[in-house]
Amino acid sequence: MHLTIATAGHIDHGKSTLVQALTGTHPDRLPEERARGISIELGFAHTTVGDVTLSFVDVPGHERFVRTMLAGVGGIDAVLLVVAADESVMPQTREHFDICRLLDVPAGVIALTRCDLADETMQAVAELDARALVEGSPLGDAPIVRVSATTGGGLDDLRAALLECARTRRERDAATPTRLPIDRVFSVKGFGTVVTGTLWSGRIAPESELTAWPGGQRVRVRGVQVHGVPAPCADAGQRTALNVATLGRTEIDRGHMLLADGVALPTRRLAVDVTVLRGAVGVGGPTLPTALRHGTRLHVHLGTTVVVGRLVLPSVNADGSARVLTAGARGAAVLRLETPLPARRGDRLVLRSYSPVTTVGGAVVLDPAPPARGVPPADLAVTDVAALLLARARAAGPLGCVRVDLPARCGVAPAVLSRVAQRLTDEGVLAAAGPYWVAVEILDGMQQDVLARLDEAMASDPLSGGVPRATLRRIGGRRWRAEVTDLVLARLADGGIITGEDRITRATAQAPERDPVDVRVLESIDAAALAGVTVADLEGTGAVPDRKSLAAVLSRLARSGDVARVGDLYVSHTRLRGLVEDLRASAGSGGGTGRVEIGWFKDRYGLTRRAAIPLLEWLDRTRVTRREGDARVVIDTR
């Protein structure tokens, strides 16, 4: 069993000294830290008590290093909140505790340090202040242990309290794919690049393959260590060090992540549930009321990563206020980021003001890929995967949802989402359109739009022969995805409601009686076979009174798919289909290798050069043949 613990508290309240007393290892690694007596970087130490490994991440307490502190508290199991008995609660105690509360750290212990320097009254006052600080939070009932790292007093009680946290720690979902935020990178001679971090989810073993974010490189794990000892694997919640191949020291740094497929979605837009702190720690120490307005620029922290973004609020908030979240308020919003973050539903963010930098609130990610416009309502209380999946599909409309994005958008493992999606498909409420999921109710609405367009076309031009498939794919503009439109057309065709390939019409529509003039012109064109006829030829037959009327007839016949224009000739589609079928079946006799020579083509079909050349060019355009020099090659369609 293991418990990963982060220290928190004001500078010089004895966090590092306490960790050394508990583990025998001083967490300060840098000479500058030891010389100045303050922590600047993250420190790490561990100890084993019985069958429990206590792993400590020691964070700096100075307000200038809160960003470093934030890099150390992501993914922890518990917090060791340190309050000096001779100074009580101080500004950074409050800010560190606010950060732990915003990150939903589920458990912890409060250590009242330096008790050897404070009398009973001072210790009692500090204990009351600490209890008031954590009231109403997950640490509201946390034990307060009076200790002295110098004398060793209370250390056994502190260990016992931490062991109790280990026994009741929140279990992590082992099925969620791997995600490791990186907090330290270095090189080891003979081994190469080593990265460390607290494993948020999943499991990492030697030979695992992950993706480095933001670089996108595929990374192979050579070796795994947990607490400096080679291990067969690292599990979620453990501090781990990985020796990674194919990645140089300069290609990865703190703030980067190692990700398994499907665990997170790189995005510049997050739908979030925002909580504003009742007060922020001011530059001089006092607590100041704060509010977040629409358009506020913020530092957005996710694990070891920080980016800048702007807050987008709805025009009217749930409480009726206009585009502002006041101190202590909570509401739905969108974060528009200047740099992508790899996020998933349920991630907790810390929000800090742009300048001066101080913690002002936090947020829970609701959807890492929300609709492009507006602020979706907060749905944090929705935990049913089927309800979430259908909500995403309904909101996406005719665009559909990208299937590979949905595990991160719903905050579940890919295998879980696949099972739920299959069940919804079997129930007839969800459908697959290529790489997209779409709600069946959306398809029903699209079907009505398609049929309305077909009816409109038939009413305006009964002789048109239907609507081109390409036109139907465009009737929704950019709001309709082509794959989803094709699914709609396939459903209508399977139901016997529409018919046709290139031109679509209602299957129940009766073919209108043809105009006798159209019939005579079509008969003349068909009689000419592959030689075709020109406009002048048709005028000479006397079938049409004038050229204007003839142009209208030819236009109708072309729209209905009865004839095609080939150069300056008109040829019936029946003859052209026969040409294609015969050519594919017997073109080998034109040279034995599928080549079509002009002379062979003319002889086989009894054509003059005037008709043969336009026909060969038409075959090239329609991808029946491919030109190679003076000859053509029949394209293999098998």
Side-chain angles (χ1 to χ4, degrees):
M1 184 182 297
H2 65 271
L3 186 76
T4 302
I5 312 153
T7 61
H10 198 75
I11 185 173
D12 204 29
H13 275 202
K15 296 186 294 299
S16 300
T17 303
L18 182 59
V19 170
Q20 182 181 24
L22 290 169
T23 66
T25 301
H26 199 290
D28 287 347
R29 297 176 287 107
L30 304 178
E32 183 182 0
E33 292 177 309
R34 295 177 182 261
R36 296 174 60 184
I38 64 170
S39 296
I40 299 171
E41 265 294 347
L42 298 175
F44 308 101
H46 69 279
T47 186
T48 300
V49 182
D51 62 344
V52 179
T53 298
L54 303 177
S55 179
F56 292 91
V57 181
D58 187 43
V59 305
H62 196 285
E63 59 90 14
R64 288 174 52 194
F65 304 121
V66 171
R67 176 173 174 176
T68 303
M69 177 266 180
L70 275 159
V73 295
I76 60 172
D77 298 312
V79 59
L80 179 59
L81 183 63
V82 176
V83 179
D86 57 335
E87 287 191 346
S88 191
V89 172
M90 297 291 280
Q92 289 314 123
T93 315
R94 297 184 184 279
E95 185 168 18
H96 281 202
F97 173 69
D98 282 339
I99 288 170
C100 292
R101 185 157 52 89
L102 292 169
L103 292 175
D104 192 33
V105 177
V109 176
I110 302 169
L112 209 63
T113 58
R114 304 203 312 214
C115 286
D116 56 312
L117 303 179
D119 58 27
E120 177 60 32
T121 301
M122 295 173 70
Q123 294 180 42
V125 169
E127 189 168 323
L128 288 172
D129 288 346
R131 186 62 69 193
L133 174 67
V134 300
E135 185 179 1
S137 75
L139 266 66
D141 297 324
I144 299 179
V145 182
R146 300 184 182 186
V147 298
S148 169
T150 302
T151 66
L155 291 181
D156 288 340
D157 292 337
L158 182 56
R159 290 190 186 95
L162 292 171
L163 290 176
E164 183 60 29
C165 282
R167 281 188 285 271
T168 59
R169 76 180 180 93
R170 184 166 56 192
E171 291 299 321
R172 298 172 187 260
D173 183 6
T176 302
T178 301
R179 183 161 53 152
L180 177 70
I182 294 167
D183 54 34
R184 188 180 173 211
V185 183
F186 54 94
S187 295
V188 176
K189 188 174 182 179
F191 289 90
T193 305
V194 176
V195 301
T196 72
T198 302
L199 185 57
W200 276 14
S201 60
R203 170 177 287 186
I204 302 178
E207 302 306 318
S208 297
E209 286 199 0
L210 303 168
T211 299
W213 179 90
Q217 306 96 324
R218 292 296 290 178
V219 176
R220 179 174 59 85
V221 178
R222 283 199 188 108
V224 177
Q225 287 191 352
V226 176
H227 304 309
V229 178
C233 67
D235 292 315
Q238 288 185 317
R239 289 287 311 168
T240 184
L242 306 178
N243 177 211
V244 293
T246 69
L247 202 61
R249 170 64 186 86
T250 59
E251 297 177 277
I252 196 162
D253 208 344
R254 173 185 290 171
H256 294 188
M257 291 191 190
L258 295 181
L259 307 171
D261 296 338
V263 69
L265 181 61
T267 178
R268 288 179 180 267
R269 185 177 166 85
L270 297 169
V272 293
D273 183 40
V274 176
T275 299
V276 185
L277 292 177
R278 294 189 178 279
V281 177
V283 176
T287 299
L288 307 173
T290 186
L292 294 179
R293 301 183 180 278
H294 173 73
T296 299
R297 204 165 184 225
L298 298 164
H299 294 280
V300 180
H301 292 259
L302 172 62
T304 60
T305 308
V306 57
V307 300
V308 175
R310 287 190 185 275
L311 188 70
V312 178
L313 294 174
S315 55
V316 178
N317 295 315
D319 61 0
S321 59
R323 299 214 147 188
V324 61
L325 287 174
T326 55
R330 175 182 168 185
V334 165
L335 285 170
R336 195 170 62 239
L337 308 177
E338 296 178 11
T339 307
L341 269 181
R344 68 185 275 112
R345 179 181 171 86
D347 280 348
R348 290 191 170 263
L349 314 172
V350 174
L351 307 178
R352 308 193 77 215
S353 55
Y354 187 72
S355 181
V357 181
T358 188
T359 305
V360 293
V364 182
V365 175
L366 304 176
D367 187 356
R373 296 184 179 276
V375 176
D379 62 355
L380 191 60
V382 179
T383 57
D384 182 68
V385 179
L388 278 173
L389 176 52
L390 278 178
R392 300 287 182 261
R394 288 167 178 154
L399 285 174
C401 292
V402 181
R403 296 169 73 168
V404 296
D405 292 348
L406 281 168
R409 295 187 63 191
C410 295
V412 296
V416 172
L417 191 100
S418 294
R419 289 195 297 270
V420 173
Q422 187 59 56
R423 175 168 60 83
L424 294 176
T425 302
D426 294 340
E427 293 172 359
V429 295
L430 193 71
Y436 307 98
W437 286 117
V438 60
V440 169
E441 63 193 65
I442 300 296
L443 296 177
D444 294 340
M446 295 174 69
Q447 287 180 183
Q448 297 308 311
D449 290 342
V450 168
L451 294 175
R453 179 59 182 272
L454 292 174
D455 292 341
E456 178 187 337
M458 181 60 68
S460 62
D461 189 355
L463 301 177
S464 65
V467 179
R469 179 180 293 270
T471 300
L472 293 176
R473 295 181 80 191
R474 293 194 299 267
I475 63 174
R478 293 184 179 180
R479 296 181 299 106
W480 286 28
R481 200 179 295 277
E483 290 88 346
V484 180
T485 307
D486 288 341
L487 177 60
V488 169
L489 296 176
R491 285 162 58 92
L492 289 170
D494 291 343
I497 300 172
I498 64 172
T499 186
E501 289 295 330
D502 295 332
R503 299 185 74 87
I504 310 296
T505 187
R506 273 188 182 266
T508 55
Q510 292 184 351
E513 188 175 341
R514 280 189 179 275
D515 188 302
V517 175
D518 291 6
V519 174
R520 290 197 299 271
V521 171
L522 181 56
E523 288 175 348
S524 298
I525 295 172
D526 190 64
L530 290 174
V533 295
T534 65
V535 172
D537 294 334
L538 291 169
E539 286 179 316
T541 64
V544 182
D546 54 57
R547 175 165 289 206
K548 183 176 180 180
S549 300
L550 178 59
V553 172
L554 291 172
S555 177
R556 285 197 298 271
L557 292 175
R559 288 201 309 273
S560 65
D562 290 311
V563 303
R565 186 168 181 176
V566 180
D568 63 348
L569 301 174
Y570 284 90
V571 184
S572 77
H573 263 296
T574 302
R575 301 289 187 176
L576 290 171
R577 281 195 297 271
L579 169 65
V580 172
E581 292 170 3
D582 183 71
L583 193 61
R584 284 176 171 161
S586 59
S589 62
T593 58
R595 290 175 62 83
V596 180
E597 304 286 350
I598 295 176
W600 175 87
F601 187 75
K602 288 165 54 182
D603 293 341
R604 182 170 183 84
Y605 300 109
L607 300 172
T608 64
R609 186 177 181 86
R610 178 175 178 273
I613 296 301
L615 281 170
L616 287 169
E617 291 174 347
W618 179 85
L619 291 168
D620 292 342
R621 288 198 306 274
T622 55
R623 302 293 296 160
V624 176
T625 59
R626 180 180 66 252
R627 185 166 183 172
E628 291 186 358
D630 293 333
R632 268 82 177 172
V633 176
V634 178
I635 296 174
D636 189 354
T637 59
R638 289 175 297 175

